[in-house]
Amino acid sequence: MHKPISRRSFLKGAATAGLGLAGMHVLPGIASAQSEAAGHTYADTIAWDGQYDVIVIGFGGAGANAAYAAAKEGVSVLAVDAAPEGEDGGNFRLSGQMFLEFTDFDSAYSYTKAQFAGYDVDDDLLRAWCEGVTNTGNILESMGADRSLFTNAEEFGLHAEYDFDGIENRSEYAMHNARGDAYMWKFIKNCCVKMADRIDLWLNTPAKHIIQAPDTKAVLGVQVQRDGKLLNICALNGVVLCCGGFENNRDMMQQYLAIQEGVNMATPYNRGDGIKMAQEVGADMWHMWAYDGVMGPFGSAVPEIDEDKLVTTNSMFNKTPMKSGAVMAVTKGGTRFINETSVAKHGKLGWGGGFYNARWAERSYIICDANKYAQIVEDGCLDEYLHKFISAETVAELAGKLDMDAAKLQETIDDFAAYIDLGKDYLTGRDTSTMEKFGQGPYYALKILPGFHATRGGPRKNARMQILNPQGEPIPHLYGAGECGSFYAHLREGGGGTTECIIFGQLAGRNAALDNQTLPAYDGAAVESNLEYTIGSSPSDLIVEQVDMDLRDNQFTGVSQNGMGGMVQVMITVEGGKMTAIEVVKQTETESIGGPAFQPLIEQALATQSSALDAISGATVTSRAFMEALADAMAQAGL
């Protein structure tokens, strides 16, 4: 029997012999003579295109923290992400940018245990969480954050969603005096930028498969698709799976969450790829039924949207006109199914003494009378959805248009009025002071769908963030963190997801970096490898460079680093002391959110000859970055 051979020992041996990685043209770190003398491992049977110590799949909050922590251990890291430039960061970038911190371990333990609401949780894993969440601020400080800028969430009107034991020692913070502006994401990404000598980032590079040894089940590397080519990249120490959930996989949403149709508020690159790759290598799955919905009334419902739109707010229904009056939610059968005014806690509604995601029928609608519809129009809270309303002069006519039983819908409206007279809504418990009897027609209906922004299911992990097989054993060299197999089984709350990315992302990256277990010898035929891709050998997408422009005497550029995606660079042309043209020459904003904001901002700036502009609704952060870049360019022009 061959003696077990360490992948690292071969690398060190090759380096001692004076062989550079890029020029070895043999297996990673393995010289032919050594292979003949001492045997080789299964890794030697694969033609590798590149080699890093750690590979991180997914560059969102968990992935960036994992890459940072691994690089801090002195190893080389490759992070890959399916998203293109301007759309990296995953759900972390799109989040409210808050984090949790407890003052003591016991409070964190009691509070978090209650969030599992009776579902089993591995005690070692729970303790690892509690050790981290009592030090979240310290972790961020160690990365360079300024604690004096931390702002309590209560200043934004945010409070703990659950009144569990330990709440008195729980706080939620933003890293500065604003939220939802991608500040935390940009801070953590910048920490990786400062370690660009150890971290390569490849965007627009989806991982396709995790490469595994058939004999030991050890993970050896990752197959990725880059520039149309499939590349096998070896991971000497470990692979960290951080590529998000399955919000954009309709089949998985139906199979695991029983949601036939919904409105997705997540990054479009969360397609369940990590779950599929983990299944291929024998990972056990957990929490596949758990997901987070939007906040607000109507059971975290949102209106049906046009295909070319992206929801960026929590709930369009979380507006004053939608919280009272002659308005109700009904199923396709014409019956009410929720308390329309109860506020969802990350999609969970109070029921039976606990909190659960609402159950959804095949079709559901908001029904209101003419008076309520007029209030909605006057308020403007659903302006972009008014064309979606279906109207009819009578209840029976409306039911016909909705393919609904007219008698049942009329009975529901009559029961609604009866509960008002009784002073008690016996069906859903809605406060009757928020209810008004339906008046005369016309009547209106708006199709509603469950809104969601994060799934929680994925590969099961232990307290070291090792991904486990169905027998509860770690799959060698495979780690994970974040939404792809979140440890939250049930009641996640604001700040919980980002905090999990920080704590467990760094734990996974650190442990993967330190994982140098040996592999046993393998008798299969060895092949040569041409290691074209190693640290720093190819362009990295980690650092976004300004466009170097050949400017005329009347042209000036300005830059802001404060967009949702980071950089916004503009160029202005000045004639006769006035701006005559403005061009956005570089930007890393999400195209469907920030992209449409630039043209109206340019038109506004040319009309006013100013950088003090009205922000575009839904793209406030992008608007501010454009204004900063424009002000920079105008200052250089002396305007």
Short mmCIF file of all heavy atoms in Angstrom, two decimals, residues 55-60 63 78-81 206-207 209-210 221-222 224 239-244 274 277 478:
data_model
loop_
_atom_site.label_atom_id
_atom_site.label_comp_id
_atom_site.label_asym_id
_atom_site.label_seq_id
_atom_site.Cartn_x
_atom_site.Cartn_y
_atom_site.Cartn_z
N ILE A 55 -10.51 27.85 -3.05
CA ILE A 55 -11.44 28.38 -4.05
C ILE A 55 -12.77 28.68 -3.35
O ILE A 55 -13.31 27.82 -2.65
CB ILE A 55 -11.67 27.39 -5.21
CG1 ILE A 55 -10.36 27.10 -5.93
CG2 ILE A 55 -12.70 27.95 -6.20
CD1 ILE A 55 -10.48 26.05 -7.03
N VAL A 56 -13.26 29.89 -3.54
CA VAL A 56 -14.55 30.31 -2.98
C VAL A 56 -15.54 30.44 -4.12
O VAL A 56 -15.31 31.19 -5.07
CB VAL A 56 -14.43 31.65 -2.23
CG1 VAL A 56 -15.79 32.08 -1.68
CG2 VAL A 56 -13.42 31.53 -1.10
N ILE A 57 -16.64 29.69 -4.04
CA ILE A 57 -17.68 29.75 -5.07
C ILE A 57 -18.76 30.73 -4.60
O ILE A 57 -19.49 30.46 -3.65
CB ILE A 57 -18.29 28.36 -5.31
CG1 ILE A 57 -17.21 27.34 -5.70
CG2 ILE A 57 -19.36 28.43 -6.39
CD1 ILE A 57 -17.72 25.92 -5.85
N GLY A 58 -18.84 31.87 -5.26
CA GLY A 58 -19.79 32.91 -4.90
C GLY A 58 -19.10 34.05 -4.19
O GLY A 58 -18.38 33.84 -3.21
N PHE A 59 -19.30 35.27 -4.69
CA PHE A 59 -18.65 36.42 -4.10
C PHE A 59 -19.70 37.42 -3.63
O PHE A 59 -19.78 38.55 -4.09
CB PHE A 59 -17.70 37.08 -5.10
CG PHE A 59 -16.74 38.06 -4.46
CD1 PHE A 59 -15.74 37.61 -3.61
CD2 PHE A 59 -16.84 39.42 -4.71
CE1 PHE A 59 -14.85 38.51 -3.03
CE2 PHE A 59 -15.96 40.33 -4.13
CZ PHE A 59 -14.96 39.88 -3.28
N GLY A 60 -20.54 36.96 -2.68
CA GLY A 60 -21.44 37.84 -1.97
C GLY A 60 -20.88 38.08 -0.58
O GLY A 60 -19.67 38.04 -0.38
N GLY A 63 -19.12 34.84 0.70
CA GLY A 63 -17.94 34.55 -0.12
C GLY A 63 -16.83 35.54 0.08
O GLY A 63 -15.65 35.16 0.16
N LEU A 78 -8.91 31.99 -4.92
CA LEU A 78 -9.67 32.33 -6.13
C LEU A 78 -11.14 32.37 -5.75
O LEU A 78 -11.68 31.39 -5.24
CB LEU A 78 -9.45 31.31 -7.25
CG LEU A 78 -10.36 31.49 -8.48
CD1 LEU A 78 -10.07 32.81 -9.19
CD2 LEU A 78 -10.23 30.31 -9.43
N ALA A 79 -11.80 33.51 -6.00
CA ALA A 79 -13.24 33.61 -5.83
C ALA A 79 -13.87 33.72 -7.21
O ALA A 79 -13.41 34.50 -8.05
CB ALA A 79 -13.60 34.83 -4.98
N VAL A 80 -14.91 32.93 -7.45
CA VAL A 80 -15.62 32.97 -8.73
C VAL A 80 -17.08 33.29 -8.47
O VAL A 80 -17.64 32.91 -7.44
CB VAL A 80 -15.49 31.65 -9.51
CG1 VAL A 80 -14.04 31.36 -9.85
CG2 VAL A 80 -16.10 30.48 -8.74
N ASP A 81 -17.71 33.99 -9.42
CA ASP A 81 -19.11 34.34 -9.28
C ASP A 81 -19.74 34.40 -10.66
O ASP A 81 -19.12 34.87 -11.62
CB ASP A 81 -19.27 35.69 -8.57
CG ASP A 81 -20.67 35.88 -8.00
OD1 ASP A 81 -21.62 36.06 -8.78
OD2 ASP A 81 -20.81 35.86 -6.77
N PRO A 206 -19.34 31.26 -13.83
CA PRO A 206 -20.10 30.32 -12.99
C PRO A 206 -19.34 29.03 -12.73
O PRO A 206 -18.65 28.51 -13.61
CB PRO A 206 -21.36 30.05 -13.80
CG PRO A 206 -20.96 30.30 -15.23
CD PRO A 206 -19.94 31.42 -15.17
N ALA A 207 -19.44 28.55 -11.50
CA ALA A 207 -18.92 27.21 -11.20
C ALA A 207 -19.91 26.19 -11.74
O ALA A 207 -21.12 26.34 -11.60
CB ALA A 207 -18.75 27.05 -9.69
N HIS A 209 -19.13 22.43 -11.62
CA HIS A 209 -19.07 21.19 -10.84
C HIS A 209 -17.96 21.30 -9.79
O HIS A 209 -16.95 21.97 -10.02
CB HIS A 209 -18.78 19.97 -11.73
CG HIS A 209 -19.78 19.76 -12.82
ND1 HIS A 209 -21.01 19.19 -12.61
CD2 HIS A 209 -19.72 20.05 -14.15
CE1 HIS A 209 -21.67 19.15 -13.74
NE2 HIS A 209 -20.92 19.66 -14.70
N ILE A 210 -18.17 20.62 -8.68
CA ILE A 210 -17.11 20.42 -7.70
C ILE A 210 -16.40 19.12 -8.06
O ILE A 210 -17.05 18.09 -8.30
CB ILE A 210 -17.68 20.35 -6.27
CG1 ILE A 210 -18.29 21.71 -5.89
CG2 ILE A 210 -16.61 19.95 -5.27
CD1 ILE A 210 -19.07 21.67 -4.60
N GLY A 221 -11.11 20.32 -6.26
CA GLY A 221 -11.13 21.58 -6.99
C GLY A 221 -12.50 21.85 -7.55
O GLY A 221 -13.50 21.25 -7.14
N VAL A 222 -12.55 22.75 -8.52
CA VAL A 222 -13.81 23.21 -9.10
C VAL A 222 -13.67 23.35 -10.60
O VAL A 222 -12.63 23.82 -11.09
CB VAL A 222 -14.23 24.58 -8.50
CG1 VAL A 222 -15.56 25.04 -9.08
CG2 VAL A 222 -14.31 24.51 -6.98
N VAL A 224 -15.00 25.45 -13.64
CA VAL A 224 -15.68 26.72 -13.87
C VAL A 224 -15.75 26.98 -15.37
O VAL A 224 -15.00 26.39 -16.16
CB VAL A 224 -14.95 27.89 -13.17
CG1 VAL A 224 -14.82 27.63 -11.68
CG2 VAL A 224 -13.57 28.15 -13.79
N VAL A 239 -12.40 24.01 -0.69
CA VAL A 239 -13.39 24.75 -1.47
C VAL A 239 -14.47 25.24 -0.51
O VAL A 239 -14.91 24.49 0.37
CB VAL A 239 -14.01 23.87 -2.57
CG1 VAL A 239 -15.21 24.56 -3.23
CG2 VAL A 239 -12.97 23.49 -3.62
N VAL A 240 -14.89 26.50 -0.68
CA VAL A 240 -15.93 27.08 0.17
C VAL A 240 -17.12 27.44 -0.71
O VAL A 240 -17.00 28.23 -1.64
CB VAL A 240 -15.44 28.33 0.91
CG1 VAL A 240 -16.48 28.78 1.94
CG2 VAL A 240 -14.10 28.06 1.61
N LEU A 241 -18.27 26.87 -0.40
CA LEU A 241 -19.48 27.04 -1.19
C LEU A 241 -20.32 28.16 -0.60
O LEU A 241 -20.87 28.03 0.49
CB LEU A 241 -20.27 25.73 -1.21
CG LEU A 241 -21.39 25.55 -2.22
CD1 LEU A 241 -20.85 25.67 -3.64
CD2 LEU A 241 -22.04 24.17 -2.03
N CYS A 242 -20.43 29.28 -1.32
CA CYS A 242 -21.13 30.47 -0.81
C CYS A 242 -21.98 31.12 -1.90
O CYS A 242 -22.06 32.35 -1.98
CB CYS A 242 -20.13 31.49 -0.31
SG CYS A 242 -19.02 30.95 0.99
N CYS A 243 -22.62 30.32 -2.75
CA CYS A 243 -23.26 30.91 -3.93
C CYS A 243 -24.77 31.07 -3.80
O CYS A 243 -25.49 31.01 -4.80
CB CYS A 243 -22.90 30.14 -5.18
SG CYS A 243 -23.13 28.37 -5.09
N GLY A 244 -25.27 31.31 -2.60
CA GLY A 244 -26.65 31.74 -2.42
C GLY A 244 -27.69 30.65 -2.57
O GLY A 244 -27.39 29.46 -2.63
N GLY A 274 -25.41 26.11 -6.27
CA GLY A 274 -24.62 25.53 -5.19
C GLY A 274 -25.25 24.29 -4.61
O GLY A 274 -24.54 23.34 -4.23
N MET A 277 -24.55 21.42 -7.03
CA MET A 277 -23.16 20.96 -6.94
C MET A 277 -22.91 20.18 -5.66
O MET A 277 -22.19 19.17 -5.67
CB MET A 277 -22.21 22.17 -7.03
CG MET A 277 -22.09 22.75 -8.42
SD MET A 277 -20.84 24.06 -8.53
CE MET A 277 -21.75 25.44 -7.84
N LEU A 478 -14.38 20.38 1.92
CA LEU A 478 -15.54 21.14 1.43
C LEU A 478 -16.20 21.89 2.59
O LEU A 478 -16.58 21.28 3.60
CB LEU A 478 -16.55 20.22 0.75
CG LEU A 478 -17.76 20.93 0.13
CD1 LEU A 478 -17.33 21.92 -0.95
CD2 LEU A 478 -18.74 19.90 -0.46
#
